Amino acid sequence: MNQNNLEYLQKSLDYLGFGTKLNAALENAISKGEQFFSIGINQRYIPAEFRSQVEKKFDDMHFELKFNRSKNGEVYFLNAMETSLLRYNATEPIVKKFVLDQQNRMSALQSYKLLCGLSFEKPTLILDTDDPGSKQYKKIDLWYKLNFNAVDKLGEHPIKWFFPKHGYDLEQSFSRFPFLELTDNDLRESAIKALRYGNLISLPMEIDGKRQEVYISAEPEDKTLNIYDQKMQSIHPDLIFAEKIRPVSPQAERSMTGEQEHQQGSGETRYVRR
């Protein structure tokens, strides 16, 4: 048995979030010398919306880690992690296979967040397209999200990447919403950092003139935030920003339309803020 290879794989499992729980099983499997083998493990997660409740509910994850041996030696490689999530409120699991290349490995916690529908930002190595001949890689921050509206040829939901040029500014999106009790910059930065990590966080917000506790997660695709009530029901932005987008009466609409037409007739166009 290649001891250095064993220690490297054990460190890899620790990095993925499994600690030392699989060390003995890994060593035993390698000692058998088989070309391929897998190690399975179950882990239970408490959904963020239930962490403050006495009677907690759980999400159950199963991980199947895939290994193979090199054809000309004793070195083993960790190639993939097959995952299955059964949520507390679901009857059928969500399955997803993650390829574990050496540059960009998805951790157990990150895979759980994706299967829960959360998005996170992650430093990622990609081929430098500015100099493709060099075949060099560069590290950039990408947003990750699972596309639940599509299914690939394996019957799984594909991952969507959002590059910086997509233009998602999390801090700007966060600043648009009327969150309360964030006068301390450290608290604000802590909340934004948690959203970047793909966490579902809870904050008070003013909605229709009242204080309400809401859950928040990042939404890179639409360049905004997801806002939920305490029952994890989505809150529409029109309700949050009701005072800023009050409907205009038909009489006021005609008045403003007439004013614009008069201004256009005099060779000048001005837009009236509503």
Side-chain angles (χ1 to χ4, degrees), residues 214-229:
V214 296
Y215 290 109
I216 311 111
S217 66
E219 178 45 75
E221 185 166 13
D222 297 328
K223 304 176 186 177
T224 185
L225 301 178
N226 294 316
I227 310 294
Y228 307 95
D229 63 18

Side-chain angles (χ1 to χ4, degrees), residues 86-271:
L86 182 61
R87 298 224 66 190
Y88 67 93
N89 56 354
T91 56
E92 295 293 331
I94 304 170
V95 297
K96 178 67 179 174
K97 180 178 180 180
F98 296 94
V99 177
L100 301 177
D101 57 67
Q102 292 183 348
Q103 289 82 14
N104 302 301
R105 293 192 169 187
M106 196 71 66
S107 71
L109 182 57
Q110 288 171 338
S111 66
Y112 165 69
K113 290 177 179 179
L114 286 177
L115 268 61
C116 285
L118 297 168
S119 304
F120 56 80
E121 190 179 48
K122 182 178 185 293
T124 305
L125 284 173
I126 65 168
L127 189 65
D128 188 354
T129 55
D130 295 332
D131 188 10
S134 66
K135 297 183 179 180
Q136 296 294 316
Y137 286 81
K138 63 179 180 180
K139 183 175 288 188
I140 62 174
D141 292 329
L142 300 183
W143 280 92
Y144 286 71
K145 176 184 179 180
L146 212 59
N147 185 3
F148 286 97
N149 296 319
V151 176
D152 59 22
K153 60 182 180 182
L154 299 176
E156 299 178 354
H157 300 296
I159 293 178
K160 301 184 77 171
W161 289 4
F162 299 96
F163 287 75
K165 64 181 180 181
H166 177 67
Y168 181 44
D169 189 328
L170 177 60
E171 292 192 16
Q172 186 180 67
S173 297
F174 189 88
S175 299
R176 290 180 55 242
F177 290 85
F179 295 117
L180 303 175
E181 301 177 9
L182 284 178
T183 54
D184 188 331
N185 285 334
D186 289 341
L187 291 176
R188 181 179 183 277
E189 291 302 317
S190 179
I192 293 174
K193 184 177 181 180
L195 292 172
R196 290 193 189 278
Y197 286 156
N199 293 338
L200 181 73
I201 66 174
S202 177
L203 286 174
M205 175 185 286
E206 183 179 345
I207 300 178
D208 197 20
K210 299 178 181 178
R211 184 183 188 276
Q212 181 174 335
E213 290 286 338
V214 296
Y215 290 109
I216 311 111
S217 66
E219 178 45 75
E221 185 166 13
D222 297 328
K223 304 176 186 177
T224 185
L225 301 178
N226 294 316
I227 310 294
Y228 307 95
D229 63 18
Q230 291 296 296
K231 295 182 179 180
M232 288 302 295
Q233 298 298 312
S234 180
I235 301 176
H236 197 278
D238 286 356
L239 179 61
I240 299 172
F241 300 108
E243 294 185 0
K244 296 183 179 181
I245 51 175
R246 292 187 184 279
V248 179
S249 66
Q251 183 178 1
E253 181 77 28
R254 288 193 298 270
S255 175
M256 286 187 288
T257 302
E259 182 179 347
Q260 283 189 359
E261 290 175 350
H262 173 73
Q263 290 165 349
Q264 289 173 347
S266 62
E268 178 185 4
T269 302
R270 288 185 290 174
Y271 296 91

